[in-house]
Amino acid sequence: MKPPRSLKITDHEIGSGRPCVPGDLAICNCVCTQRKGEVLFSSDTNSPYLIRVGGRDCNAGIEYGLLGMRIGGRRTVIVPPNLTYNERKTYPDLPGKELLVYELRLIDLPEKWDPEMERRLAAKADS
């Protein structure tokens, strides 16, 4: 899964261990703000998000932002409106052309929810 070019990803800390790939269960902290800084939502440090990467548990911008992250890594992901479908439903007053900024910190990659996903995606790319 290659991120769209419209997605802007900036790493602040790389982290360690293996990179996050489709099929992983990622545990992360996330803060979502509008471009002007107003916080829309955030995870609590005691209640991080569990995201099935590739399972569409969250918007595509967050899933693409998690790809390649390593445990302990921190990154900023600036997501265009077409990749923020969840927020458009939850926050109907959000302007349609608003970029959203996600601050992600990967806490753990404890297991795979779909161990075959990475292989299937690679086979699909080869064909």
Side-chain angles (χ1 to χ4, degrees):
M1 287 176 45
K2 241 181 160 175
R5 280 184 253 166
S6 59
L7 199 69
K8 304 298 179 215
I9 297 174
T10 305
D11 283 310
H12 303 290
E13 286 182 45
I14 300 300
S16 62
R18 68 176 183 83
C20 181
V21 296
D24 278 337
L25 178 64
I27 299 175
C28 66
N29 281 326
C30 173
V31 177
C32 174
T33 60
Q34 289 180 321
R35 187 80 167 165
K36 297 174 183 156
E38 181 183 336
V39 175
L40 293 177
F41 64 86
S42 68
S43 61
D44 184 307
T45 51
N46 296 324
S47 301
Y49 293 134
L50 276 69
I51 297 172
R52 295 177 313 147
V53 180
R56 298 189 182 200
D57 287 346
C58 58
N59 75 54
I62 292 175
E63 286 195 11
Y64 281 120
L66 285 168
L67 292 176
M69 285 187 79
R70 298 171 188 272
I71 295 171
R74 287 187 322 107
R75 69 173 42 159
T76 299
V77 183
I78 300 174
V79 184
N82 64 316
L83 297 176
T84 59
Y85 51 84
N86 287 357
E87 286 70 17
R88 304 287 165 217
K89 292 177 187 172
T90 306
Y91 305 98
D93 295 337
L94 195 62
K97 297 187 187 277
E98 182 81 28
L99 293 172
L100 297 181
V101 179
Y102 295 92
E103 298 295 332
L104 301 174
R105 185 172 71 85
L106 185 60
I107 298 169
D108 199 7
L109 295 170
E111 61 189 50
K112 293 202 176 278
W113 69 274
D114 183 351
E116 294 297 312
M117 181 179 280
E118 190 176 16
R119 184 191 58 76
R120 286 194 313 272
L121 288 172
K124 186 176 179 180
D126 289 341
S127 56

